[in-house]
mmCIF file of all heavy atoms in Angstrom:
data_model
loop_
_atom_site.group_PDB
_atom_site.id
_atom_site.type_symbol
_atom_site.label_atom_id
_atom_site.label_comp_id
_atom_site.label_asym_id
_atom_site.label_seq_id
_atom_site.Cartn_x
_atom_site.Cartn_y
_atom_site.Cartn_z
ATOM 1 N N MET A 1 0.712 -15.498 4.280
ATOM 2 C CA MET A 1 0.896 -14.266 3.524
ATOM 3 C C MET A 1 -0.322 -13.990 2.644
ATOM 4 O O MET A 1 -0.989 -14.904 2.171
ATOM 5 C CB MET A 1 2.136 -14.361 2.620
ATOM 6 C CG MET A 1 3.437 -14.549 3.390
ATOM 7 S SD MET A 1 3.939 -13.074 4.268
ATOM 8 C CE MET A 1 4.849 -12.206 2.981
ATOM 9 N N VAL A 2 -0.563 -12.732 2.418
ATOM 10 C CA VAL A 2 -1.628 -12.310 1.510
ATOM 11 C C VAL A 2 -0.958 -11.622 0.322
ATOM 12 O O VAL A 2 -0.060 -10.816 0.504
ATOM 13 C CB VAL A 2 -2.578 -11.315 2.212
ATOM 14 C CG1 VAL A 2 -3.672 -10.864 1.262
ATOM 15 C CG2 VAL A 2 -3.179 -11.948 3.453
ATOM 16 N N SER A 3 -1.395 -11.974 -0.858
ATOM 17 C CA SER A 3 -0.810 -11.383 -2.049
ATOM 18 C C SER A 3 -1.804 -10.419 -2.676
ATOM 19 O O SER A 3 -2.929 -10.788 -2.990
ATOM 20 C CB SER A 3 -0.440 -12.487 -3.048
ATOM 21 O OG SER A 3 0.202 -11.914 -4.162
ATOM 22 N N VAL A 4 -1.393 -9.183 -2.826
ATOM 23 C CA VAL A 4 -2.241 -8.186 -3.464
ATOM 24 C C VAL A 4 -1.459 -7.491 -4.566
ATOM 25 O O VAL A 4 -0.236 -7.586 -4.619
ATOM 26 C CB VAL A 4 -2.757 -7.143 -2.441
ATOM 27 C CG1 VAL A 4 -3.721 -7.765 -1.465
ATOM 28 C CG2 VAL A 4 -1.605 -6.492 -1.721
ATOM 29 N N LYS A 5 -2.158 -6.809 -5.425
ATOM 30 C CA LYS A 5 -1.520 -6.121 -6.540
ATOM 31 C C LYS A 5 -1.187 -4.682 -6.174
ATOM 32 O O LYS A 5 -1.993 -3.982 -5.564
ATOM 33 C CB LYS A 5 -2.461 -6.100 -7.755
ATOM 34 C CG LYS A 5 -2.762 -7.478 -8.308
ATOM 35 C CD LYS A 5 -1.620 -7.971 -9.178
ATOM 36 C CE LYS A 5 -2.033 -9.290 -9.848
ATOM 37 N NZ LYS A 5 -0.876 -10.016 -10.362
ATOM 38 N N CYS A 6 -0.036 -4.286 -6.604
ATOM 39 C CA CYS A 6 0.330 -2.877 -6.479
ATOM 40 C C CYS A 6 -0.510 -2.074 -7.473
ATOM 41 O O CYS A 6 -0.553 -2.409 -8.650
ATOM 42 C CB CYS A 6 1.816 -2.706 -6.775
ATOM 43 S SG CYS A 6 2.349 -0.996 -6.845
ATOM 44 N N PRO A 7 -1.222 -1.052 -7.003
ATOM 45 C CA PRO A 7 -2.082 -0.271 -7.902
ATOM 46 C C PRO A 7 -1.291 0.582 -8.878
ATOM 47 O O PRO A 7 -1.845 1.099 -9.847
ATOM 48 C CB PRO A 7 -2.898 0.602 -6.945
ATOM 49 C CG PRO A 7 -2.033 0.753 -5.748
ATOM 50 C CD PRO A 7 -1.250 -0.543 -5.628
ATOM 51 N N VAL A 8 -0.013 0.716 -8.639
ATOM 52 C CA VAL A 8 0.794 1.591 -9.483
ATOM 53 C C VAL A 8 1.485 0.810 -10.594
ATOM 54 O O VAL A 8 1.336 1.119 -11.775
ATOM 55 C CB VAL A 8 1.832 2.341 -8.634
ATOM 56 C CG1 VAL A 8 2.705 3.226 -9.509
ATOM 57 C CG2 VAL A 8 1.126 3.168 -7.555
ATOM 58 N N CYS A 9 2.200 -0.254 -10.227
ATOM 59 C CA CYS A 9 2.969 -0.995 -11.225
ATOM 60 C C CYS A 9 2.324 -2.326 -11.572
ATOM 61 O O CYS A 9 2.732 -2.976 -12.521
ATOM 62 C CB CYS A 9 4.392 -1.205 -10.743
ATOM 63 S SG CYS A 9 4.539 -2.376 -9.383
ATOM 64 N N GLY A 10 1.306 -2.761 -10.802
ATOM 65 C CA GLY A 10 0.626 -4.011 -11.087
ATOM 66 C C GLY A 10 1.358 -5.245 -10.590
ATOM 67 O O GLY A 10 0.912 -6.355 -10.791
ATOM 68 N N GLY A 11 2.482 -5.033 -9.934
ATOM 69 C CA GLY A 11 3.250 -6.155 -9.402
ATOM 70 C C GLY A 11 2.653 -6.691 -8.120
ATOM 71 O O GLY A 11 1.797 -6.058 -7.502
ATOM 72 N N ASP A 12 3.088 -7.889 -7.762
ATOM 73 C CA ASP A 12 2.590 -8.498 -6.534
ATOM 74 C C ASP A 12 3.235 -7.882 -5.311
ATOM 75 O O ASP A 12 4.413 -7.554 -5.314
ATOM 76 C CB ASP A 12 2.879 -10.002 -6.544
ATOM 77 C CG ASP A 12 1.984 -10.734 -7.531
ATOM 78 O OD1 ASP A 12 0.828 -10.319 -7.695
ATOM 79 O OD2 ASP A 12 2.456 -11.707 -8.121
ATOM 80 N N VAL A 13 2.435 -7.748 -4.277
ATOM 81 C CA VAL A 13 2.923 -7.273 -2.990
ATOM 82 C C VAL A 13 2.523 -8.313 -1.950
ATOM 83 O O VAL A 13 1.360 -8.697 -1.871
ATOM 84 C CB VAL A 13 2.307 -5.910 -2.621
ATOM 85 C CG1 VAL A 13 2.924 -5.371 -1.336
ATOM 86 C CG2 VAL A 13 2.478 -4.907 -3.754
ATOM 87 N N GLN A 14 3.472 -8.805 -1.199
ATOM 88 C CA GLN A 14 3.204 -9.793 -0.168
ATOM 89 C C GLN A 14 3.011 -9.086 1.167
ATOM 90 O O GLN A 14 3.835 -8.291 1.582
ATOM 91 C CB GLN A 14 4.387 -10.766 -0.048
ATOM 92 C CG GLN A 14 4.734 -11.480 -1.330
ATOM 93 C CD GLN A 14 3.667 -12.464 -1.774
ATOM 94 O OE1 GLN A 14 2.993 -13.061 -0.949
ATOM 95 N NE2 GLN A 14 3.513 -12.627 -3.068
ATOM 96 N N LEU A 15 1.894 -9.392 1.808
ATOM 97 C CA LEU A 15 1.593 -8.789 3.100
ATOM 98 C C LEU A 15 1.382 -9.893 4.128
ATOM 99 O O LEU A 15 0.861 -10.962 3.786
ATOM 100 C CB LEU A 15 0.317 -7.955 3.007
ATOM 101 C CG LEU A 15 0.325 -6.799 2.005
ATOM 102 C CD1 LEU A 15 -1.068 -6.194 1.921
ATOM 103 C CD2 LEU A 15 1.325 -5.742 2.404
ATOM 104 N N PRO A 16 1.738 -9.644 5.380
ATOM 105 C CA PRO A 16 1.425 -10.613 6.420
ATOM 106 C C PRO A 16 -0.083 -10.719 6.623
ATOM 107 O O PRO A 16 -0.815 -9.763 6.366
ATOM 108 C CB PRO A 16 2.123 -10.047 7.668
ATOM 109 C CG PRO A 16 2.383 -8.616 7.369
ATOM 110 C CD PRO A 16 2.456 -8.477 5.871
ATOM 111 N N GLU A 17 -0.540 -11.883 7.084
ATOM 112 C CA GLU A 17 -1.982 -12.102 7.238
ATOM 113 C C GLU A 17 -2.616 -11.147 8.245
ATOM 114 O O GLU A 17 -3.793 -10.839 8.160
ATOM 115 C CB GLU A 17 -2.234 -13.539 7.702
ATOM 116 C CG GLU A 17 -1.600 -14.571 6.800
ATOM 117 C CD GLU A 17 -2.635 -15.456 6.126
ATOM 118 O OE1 GLU A 17 -3.826 -15.227 6.320
ATOM 119 O OE2 GLU A 17 -2.219 -16.368 5.400
ATOM 120 N N ASP A 18 -1.810 -10.727 9.194
ATOM 121 C CA ASP A 18 -2.351 -9.873 10.257
ATOM 122 C C ASP A 18 -2.137 -8.394 9.946
ATOM 123 O O ASP A 18 -2.107 -7.569 10.839
ATOM 124 C CB ASP A 18 -1.740 -10.243 11.608
ATOM 125 C CG ASP A 18 -0.227 -10.060 11.618
ATOM 126 O OD1 ASP A 18 0.356 -9.834 10.535
ATOM 127 O OD2 ASP A 18 0.361 -10.129 12.700
ATOM 128 N N VAL A 19 -1.989 -8.076 8.669
ATOM 129 C CA VAL A 19 -1.788 -6.688 8.275
ATOM 130 C C VAL A 19 -3.022 -5.861 8.663
ATOM 131 O O VAL A 19 -4.146 -6.360 8.648
ATOM 132 C CB VAL A 19 -1.507 -6.595 6.755
ATOM 133 C CG1 VAL A 19 -2.740 -6.935 5.933
ATOM 134 C CG2 VAL A 19 -0.940 -5.251 6.384
ATOM 135 N N VAL A 20 -2.790 -4.635 9.054
ATOM 136 C CA VAL A 20 -3.901 -3.790 9.488
ATOM 137 C C VAL A 20 -4.032 -2.574 8.578
ATOM 138 O O VAL A 20 -3.054 -2.119 7.982
ATOM 139 C CB VAL A 20 -3.716 -3.316 10.951
ATOM 140 C CG1 VAL A 20 -3.844 -4.493 11.898
ATOM 141 C CG2 VAL A 20 -2.405 -2.599 11.147
ATOM 142 N N ALA A 21 -5.250 -2.075 8.478
ATOM 143 C CA ALA A 21 -5.512 -0.897 7.671
ATOM 144 C C ALA A 21 -4.678 0.279 8.174
ATOM 145 O O ALA A 21 -4.511 0.465 9.371
ATOM 146 C CB ALA A 21 -6.990 -0.543 7.718
ATOM 147 N N GLY A 22 -4.175 1.030 7.239
ATOM 148 C CA GLY A 22 -3.396 2.198 7.588
ATOM 149 C C GLY A 22 -1.907 1.946 7.606
ATOM 150 O O GLY A 22 -1.119 2.873 7.733
ATOM 151 N N GLU A 23 -1.533 0.691 7.477
ATOM 152 C CA GLU A 23 -0.111 0.363 7.451
ATOM 153 C C GLU A 23 0.520 0.891 6.164
ATOM 154 O O GLU A 23 -0.105 0.868 5.110
ATOM 155 C CB GLU A 23 0.076 -1.145 7.554
ATOM 156 C CG GLU A 23 1.301 -1.508 8.355
ATOM 157 C CD GLU A 23 1.261 -2.954 8.815
ATOM 158 O OE1 GLU A 23 0.390 -3.283 9.639
ATOM 159 O OE2 GLU A 23 2.096 -3.720 8.351
ATOM 160 N N ILE A 24 1.725 1.346 6.283
ATOM 161 C CA ILE A 24 2.418 1.932 5.137
ATOM 162 C C ILE A 24 3.486 0.964 4.656
ATOM 163 O O ILE A 24 4.276 0.456 5.439
ATOM 164 C CB ILE A 24 3.067 3.277 5.526
ATOM 165 C CG1 ILE A 24 2.001 4.253 6.036
ATOM 166 C CG2 ILE A 24 3.828 3.869 4.359
ATOM 167 C CD1 ILE A 24 0.897 4.561 5.055
ATOM 168 N N ILE A 25 3.476 0.723 3.370
ATOM 169 C CA ILE A 25 4.391 -0.246 2.770
ATOM 170 C C ILE A 25 5.120 0.402 1.620
ATOM 171 O O ILE A 25 4.522 1.130 0.830
ATOM 172 C CB ILE A 25 3.579 -1.462 2.273
ATOM 173 C CG1 ILE A 25 3.060 -2.194 3.491
ATOM 174 C CG2 ILE A 25 4.414 -2.359 1.379
ATOM 175 C CD1 ILE A 25 2.081 -3.243 3.190
ATOM 176 N N GLU A 26 6.407 0.110 1.542
ATOM 177 C CA GLU A 26 7.146 0.614 0.403
ATOM 178 C C GLU A 26 7.332 -0.523 -0.604
ATOM 179 O O GLU A 26 7.853 -1.573 -0.267
ATOM 180 C CB GLU A 26 8.494 1.163 0.865
ATOM 181 C CG GLU A 26 9.097 2.039 -0.194
ATOM 182 C CD GLU A 26 9.918 3.182 0.401
ATOM 183 O OE1 GLU A 26 9.472 3.777 1.407
ATOM 184 O OE2 GLU A 26 10.985 3.462 -0.124
ATOM 185 N N HIS A 27 6.864 -0.320 -1.810
ATOM 186 C CA HIS A 27 6.967 -1.367 -2.812
ATOM 187 C C HIS A 27 8.257 -1.243 -3.595
ATOM 188 O O HIS A 27 8.888 -0.202 -3.610
ATOM 189 C CB HIS A 27 5.752 -1.295 -3.767
ATOM 190 C CG HIS A 27 5.631 -2.532 -4.608
ATOM 191 N ND1 HIS A 27 5.261 -2.500 -5.923
ATOM 192 C CD2 HIS A 27 5.848 -3.832 -4.286
ATOM 193 C CE1 HIS A 27 5.246 -3.764 -6.378
ATOM 194 N NE2 HIS A 27 5.596 -4.575 -5.413
ATOM 195 N N ASP A 28 8.602 -2.362 -4.257
ATOM 196 C CA ASP A 28 9.838 -2.412 -5.034
ATOM 197 C C ASP A 28 9.905 -1.335 -6.107
ATOM 198 O O ASP A 28 10.976 -0.926 -6.519
ATOM 199 C CB ASP A 28 9.965 -3.781 -5.720
ATOM 200 C CG ASP A 28 10.149 -4.888 -4.700
ATOM 201 O OD1 ASP A 28 10.440 -4.570 -3.531
ATOM 202 O OD2 ASP A 28 9.988 -6.057 -5.067
ATOM 203 N N CYS A 29 8.742 -0.916 -6.612
ATOM 204 C CA CYS A 29 8.717 0.076 -7.678
ATOM 205 C C CYS A 29 9.013 1.480 -7.167
ATOM 206 O O CYS A 29 9.083 2.415 -7.938
ATOM 207 C CB CYS A 29 7.367 0.052 -8.390
ATOM 208 S SG CYS A 29 5.978 0.579 -7.358
ATOM 209 N N GLY A 30 9.140 1.605 -5.835
ATOM 210 C CA GLY A 30 9.482 2.899 -5.268
ATOM 211 C C GLY A 30 8.284 3.651 -4.739
ATOM 212 O O GLY A 30 8.426 4.694 -4.105
ATOM 213 N N MET A 31 7.088 3.124 -4.988
ATOM 214 C CA MET A 31 5.875 3.766 -4.508
ATOM 215 C C MET A 31 5.663 3.459 -3.036
ATOM 216 O O MET A 31 5.936 2.356 -2.589
ATOM 217 C CB MET A 31 4.691 3.182 -5.278
ATOM 218 C CG MET A 31 3.902 4.089 -6.192
ATOM 219 S SD MET A 31 4.167 5.809 -6.182
ATOM 220 C CE MET A 31 2.725 6.330 -5.289
ATOM 221 N N THR A 32 5.144 4.432 -2.315
ATOM 222 C CA THR A 32 4.715 4.189 -0.949
ATOM 223 C C THR A 32 3.217 3.918 -0.986
ATOM 224 O O THR A 32 2.449 4.682 -1.556
ATOM 225 C CB THR A 32 5.025 5.410 -0.074
ATOM 226 O OG1 THR A 32 6.424 5.666 -0.151
ATOM 227 C CG2 THR A 32 4.652 5.148 1.376
ATOM 228 N N LEU A 33 2.809 2.787 -0.393
ATOM 229 C CA LEU A 33 1.423 2.339 -0.475
ATOM 230 C C LEU A 33 0.821 2.261 0.914
ATOM 231 O O LEU A 33 1.494 1.914 1.876
ATOM 232 C CB LEU A 33 1.363 0.957 -1.127
ATOM 233 C CG LEU A 33 2.003 0.868 -2.512
ATOM 234 C CD1 LEU A 33 2.087 -0.593 -2.942
ATOM 235 C CD2 LEU A 33 1.230 1.680 -3.523
ATOM 236 N N GLU A 34 -0.469 2.555 0.985
ATOM 237 C CA GLU A 34 -1.196 2.468 2.237
ATOM 238 C C GLU A 34 -2.156 1.283 2.167
ATOM 239 O O GLU A 34 -2.843 1.085 1.164
ATOM 240 C CB GLU A 34 -1.980 3.762 2.467
ATOM 241 C CG GLU A 34 -2.755 3.737 3.773
ATOM 242 C CD GLU A 34 -3.511 5.043 3.997
ATOM 243 O OE1 GLU A 34 -3.543 5.897 3.097
ATOM 244 O OE2 GLU A 34 -4.075 5.187 5.089
ATOM 245 N N VAL A 35 -2.208 0.509 3.239
ATOM 246 C CA VAL A 35 -3.103 -0.639 3.295
ATOM 247 C C VAL A 35 -4.512 -0.162 3.636
ATOM 248 O O VAL A 35 -4.716 0.606 4.572
ATOM 249 C CB VAL A 35 -2.618 -1.640 4.359
ATOM 250 C CG1 VAL A 35 -3.622 -2.793 4.504
ATOM 251 C CG2 VAL A 35 -1.244 -2.176 3.995
ATOM 252 N N VAL A 36 -5.463 -0.622 2.832
ATOM 253 C CA VAL A 36 -6.871 -0.316 3.067
ATOM 254 C C VAL A 36 -7.604 -1.648 3.179
ATOM 255 O O VAL A 36 -7.384 -2.551 2.375
ATOM 256 C CB VAL A 36 -7.463 0.485 1.890
ATOM 257 C CG1 VAL A 36 -8.848 1.000 2.230
ATOM 258 C CG2 VAL A 36 -6.547 1.621 1.499
ATOM 259 N N VAL A 37 -8.457 -1.791 4.179
ATOM 260 C CA VAL A 37 -9.249 -3.015 4.302
ATOM 261 C C VAL A 37 -10.705 -2.673 4.030
ATOM 262 O O VAL A 37 -11.294 -1.802 4.672
ATOM 263 C CB VAL A 37 -9.093 -3.643 5.703
ATOM 264 C CG1 VAL A 37 -9.940 -4.914 5.798
ATOM 265 C CG2 VAL A 37 -7.624 -3.977 5.975
ATOM 266 N N ASP A 38 -11.266 -3.366 3.035
ATOM 267 C CA ASP A 38 -12.628 -3.092 2.593
ATOM 268 C C ASP A 38 -13.378 -4.421 2.526
ATOM 269 O O ASP A 38 -13.051 -5.283 1.722
ATOM 270 C CB ASP A 38 -12.550 -2.430 1.210
ATOM 271 C CG ASP A 38 -13.924 -2.090 0.670
ATOM 272 O OD1 ASP A 38 -14.867 -1.950 1.461
ATOM 273 O OD2 ASP A 38 -14.040 -1.968 -0.565
ATOM 274 N N ASN A 39 -14.375 -4.611 3.383
ATOM 275 C CA ASN A 39 -15.108 -5.888 3.425
ATOM 276 C C ASN A 39 -14.183 -7.090 3.557
ATOM 277 O O ASN A 39 -14.317 -8.077 2.854
ATOM 278 C CB ASN A 39 -15.968 -6.046 2.171
ATOM 279 C CG ASN A 39 -17.199 -5.171 2.219
ATOM 280 O OD1 ASN A 39 -17.699 -4.863 3.298
ATOM 281 N ND2 ASN A 39 -17.679 -4.741 1.072
ATOM 282 N N ASN A 40 -13.235 -6.978 4.472
ATOM 283 C CA ASN A 40 -12.266 -8.043 4.720
ATOM 284 C C ASN A 40 -11.347 -8.316 3.540
ATOM 285 O O ASN A 40 -10.663 -9.322 3.510
ATOM 286 C CB ASN A 40 -12.951 -9.346 5.149
ATOM 287 C CG ASN A 40 -13.519 -9.229 6.553
ATOM 288 O OD1 ASN A 40 -12.960 -8.548 7.394
ATOM 289 N ND2 ASN A 40 -14.628 -9.889 6.799
ATOM 290 N N THR A 41 -11.364 -7.447 2.559
ATOM 291 C CA THR A 41 -10.432 -7.572 1.443
ATOM 292 C C THR A 41 -9.336 -6.526 1.611
ATOM 293 O O THR A 41 -9.625 -5.347 1.816
ATOM 294 C CB THR A 41 -11.160 -7.336 0.108
ATOM 295 O OG1 THR A 41 -12.247 -8.250 0.030
ATOM 296 C CG2 THR A 41 -10.226 -7.554 -1.059
ATOM 297 N N VAL A 42 -8.116 -7.006 1.535
ATOM 298 C CA VAL A 42 -6.990 -6.091 1.687
ATOM 299 C C VAL A 42 -6.663 -5.473 0.337
ATOM 300 O O VAL A 42 -6.533 -6.158 -0.658
ATOM 301 C CB VAL A 42 -5.759 -6.836 2.242
ATOM 302 C CG1 VAL A 42 -4.571 -5.888 2.370
ATOM 303 C CG2 VAL A 42 -6.085 -7.455 3.597
ATOM 304 N N LYS A 43 -6.562 -4.159 0.333
ATOM 305 C CA LYS A 43 -6.213 -3.438 -0.888
ATOM 306 C C LYS A 43 -5.097 -2.461 -0.581
ATOM 307 O O LYS A 43 -4.819 -2.167 0.573
ATOM 308 C CB LYS A 43 -7.422 -2.654 -1.411
ATOM 309 C CG LYS A 43 -8.584 -3.536 -1.823
ATOM 310 C CD LYS A 43 -9.746 -2.670 -2.255
ATOM 311 C CE LYS A 43 -10.936 -3.542 -2.644
ATOM 312 N NZ LYS A 43 -12.112 -2.730 -2.961
ATOM 313 N N LEU A 44 -4.530 -1.947 -1.640
ATOM 314 C CA LEU A 44 -3.484 -0.944 -1.491
ATOM 315 C C LEU A 44 -3.857 0.284 -2.289
ATOM 316 O O LEU A 44 -4.499 0.190 -3.333
ATOM 317 C CB LEU A 44 -2.150 -1.494 -2.006
ATOM 318 C CG LEU A 44 -1.583 -2.664 -1.222
ATOM 319 C CD1 LEU A 44 -0.404 -3.257 -1.981
ATOM 320 C CD2 LEU A 44 -1.132 -2.215 0.159
ATOM 321 N N ARG A 45 -3.445 1.422 -1.774
ATOM 322 C CA ARG A 45 -3.602 2.641 -2.569
ATOM 323 C C ARG A 45 -2.352 3.478 -2.385
ATOM 324 O O ARG A 45 -1.678 3.370 -1.356
ATOM 325 C CB ARG A 45 -4.851 3.407 -2.144
ATOM 326 C CG ARG A 45 -4.744 4.020 -0.765
ATOM 327 C CD ARG A 45 -5.981 4.858 -0.442
ATOM 328 N NE ARG A 45 -5.881 5.367 0.927
ATOM 329 C CZ ARG A 45 -6.929 5.714 1.664
ATOM 330 N NH1 ARG A 45 -8.142 5.594 1.181
ATOM 331 N NH2 ARG A 45 -6.769 6.185 2.871
ATOM 332 N N PRO A 46 -2.045 4.282 -3.384
ATOM 333 C CA PRO A 46 -0.863 5.138 -3.259
ATOM 334 C C PRO A 46 -1.011 6.038 -2.041
ATOM 335 O O PRO A 46 -2.063 6.629 -1.823
ATOM 336 C CB PRO A 46 -0.857 5.956 -4.552
ATOM 337 C CG PRO A 46 -1.707 5.179 -5.512
ATOM 338 C CD PRO A 46 -2.735 4.463 -4.654
ATOM 339 N N PHE A 47 0.035 6.078 -1.241
ATOM 340 C CA PHE A 47 -0.003 6.891 -0.036
ATOM 341 C C PHE A 47 0.469 8.291 -0.356
ATOM 342 O O PHE A 47 1.574 8.493 -0.858
ATOM 343 C CB PHE A 47 0.892 6.275 1.038
ATOM 344 C CG PHE A 47 0.969 7.083 2.290
ATOM 345 C CD1 PHE A 47 -0.147 7.230 3.103
ATOM 346 C CD2 PHE A 47 2.156 7.698 2.665
ATOM 347 C CE1 PHE A 47 -0.078 7.976 4.268
ATOM 348 C CE2 PHE A 47 2.227 8.449 3.839
ATOM 349 C CZ PHE A 47 1.118 8.584 4.633
ATOM 350 N N GLU A 48 -0.403 9.246 -0.051
ATOM 351 C CA GLU A 48 -0.015 10.632 -0.249
ATOM 352 C C GLU A 48 0.488 11.167 1.065
ATOM 353 O O GLU A 48 -0.269 11.477 1.964
ATOM 354 C CB GLU A 48 -1.212 11.438 -0.768
ATOM 355 C CG GLU A 48 -1.457 11.139 -2.237
ATOM 356 C CD GLU A 48 -2.916 11.311 -2.622
ATOM 357 O OE1 GLU A 48 -3.567 12.207 -2.080
ATOM 358 O OE2 GLU A 48 -3.394 10.523 -3.448
ATOM 359 N N GLY A 49 1.784 11.198 1.163
ATOM 360 C CA GLY A 49 2.423 11.542 2.416
ATOM 361 C C GLY A 49 1.999 12.897 2.922
ATOM 362 O O GLY A 49 1.894 13.861 2.181
ATOM 363 N N VAL A 50 1.743 12.947 4.212
ATOM 364 C CA VAL A 50 1.349 14.202 4.843
ATOM 365 C C VAL A 50 2.608 14.976 5.201
ATOM 366 O O VAL A 50 3.516 14.445 5.814
ATOM 367 C CB VAL A 50 0.514 13.926 6.090
ATOM 368 C CG1 VAL A 50 0.101 15.234 6.750
ATOM 369 C CG2 VAL A 50 -0.706 13.098 5.747
ATOM 370 N N GLY A 51 2.653 16.190 4.789
ATOM 371 C CA GLY A 51 3.777 17.043 5.146
ATOM 372 C C GLY A 51 4.964 16.897 4.212
ATOM 373 O O GLY A 51 5.972 17.541 4.412
ATOM 374 N N GLU A 52 4.826 16.052 3.201
ATOM 375 C CA GLU A 52 5.925 15.942 2.250
ATOM 376 C C GLU A 52 5.821 17.055 1.219
ATOM 377 O O GLU A 52 4.743 17.455 0.818
ATOM 378 C CB GLU A 52 5.882 14.586 1.558
ATOM 379 C CG GLU A 52 6.227 13.477 2.516
ATOM 380 C CD GLU A 52 7.164 12.466 1.853
ATOM 381 O OE1 GLU A 52 7.945 12.878 0.995
ATOM 382 O OE2 GLU A 52 7.074 11.288 2.214
ATOM 383 N N ASP A 53 6.953 17.476 0.768
ATOM 384 C CA ASP A 53 6.983 18.580 -0.193
ATOM 385 C C ASP A 53 7.119 18.041 -1.602
ATOM 386 O O ASP A 53 8.171 17.559 -2.002
ATOM 387 C CB ASP A 53 8.130 19.527 0.165
ATOM 388 C CG ASP A 53 8.109 20.770 -0.703
ATOM 389 O OD1 ASP A 53 7.103 20.983 -1.416
ATOM 390 O OD2 ASP A 53 9.081 21.531 -0.673
ATOM 391 N N TRP A 54 6.021 18.063 -2.326
ATOM 392 C CA TRP A 54 6.046 17.577 -3.699
ATOM 393 C C TRP A 54 6.269 18.735 -4.679
ATOM 394 O O TRP A 54 6.249 18.547 -5.879
ATOM 395 C CB TRP A 54 4.715 16.903 -4.052
ATOM 396 C CG TRP A 54 4.435 15.710 -3.219
ATOM 397 C CD1 TRP A 54 3.671 15.668 -2.090
ATOM 398 C CD2 TRP A 54 4.900 14.364 -3.412
ATOM 399 N NE1 TRP A 54 3.649 14.396 -1.587
ATOM 400 C CE2 TRP A 54 4.382 13.584 -2.375
ATOM 401 C CE3 TRP A 54 5.719 13.773 -4.381
ATOM 402 C CZ2 TRP A 54 4.652 12.216 -2.271
ATOM 403 C CZ3 TRP A 54 5.975 12.416 -4.275
ATOM 404 C CH2 TRP A 54 5.445 11.649 -3.230
ATOM 405 N N GLY A 55 6.425 19.930 -4.144
ATOM 406 C CA GLY A 55 6.354 21.120 -4.966
ATOM 407 C C GLY A 55 7.471 21.302 -5.970
ATOM 408 O O GLY A 55 7.246 21.751 -7.075
ATOM 409 N N GLU A 56 8.695 20.930 -5.589
ATOM 410 C CA GLU A 56 9.803 21.339 -6.444
ATOM 411 C C GLU A 56 10.186 20.354 -7.507
ATOM 412 O O GLU A 56 10.405 19.277 -7.391
ATOM 413 C CB GLU A 56 11.006 21.639 -5.565
ATOM 414 C CG GLU A 56 10.707 22.906 -4.771
ATOM 415 C CD GLU A 56 11.779 23.148 -3.718
ATOM 416 O OE1 GLU A 56 12.967 23.217 -4.103
ATOM 417 O OE2 GLU A 56 11.446 23.257 -2.548
HETATM 418 ZN ZN1 LIG B 101 4.617 -1.222 -7.266
#
């Protein structure tokens, strides 16, 4: 497992070692996170859902 920090709540997020960039993960805090791989370092960023209606 790989342990990374949630960029939103700062909590730990456990990812499988074979996680791939672009994978979408839902964290305990309710945030949807996207996996980003940068120089072999796994990171997370808040996923801005495509086609979701944030308007109302
Ligand atoms: Zn979180």
Side-chain angles (χ1 to χ4, degrees):
M1 298 288 274
V2 179
S3 184
V4 292
K5 296 280 187 197
C6 173
V8 178
C9 71
D12 288 326
V13 185
Q14 303 292 328
L15 300 173
E17 306 244 3
D18 61 350
V19 69
V20 292
E23 216 163 294
I24 301 301
I25 291 170
E26 197 147 319
H27 194 219
D28 294 346
C29 66
M31 245 350 256
T32 302
L33 304 170
E34 181 179 7
V35 175
V36 189
V37 180
D38 181 23
N39 285 332
N40 289 327
T41 304
V42 179
K43 296 177 181 175
L44 295 170
R45 69 176 177 204
F47 177 67
E48 284 152 35
V50 180
E52 291 223 31
D53 186 11
W54 298 96
E56 291 171 56

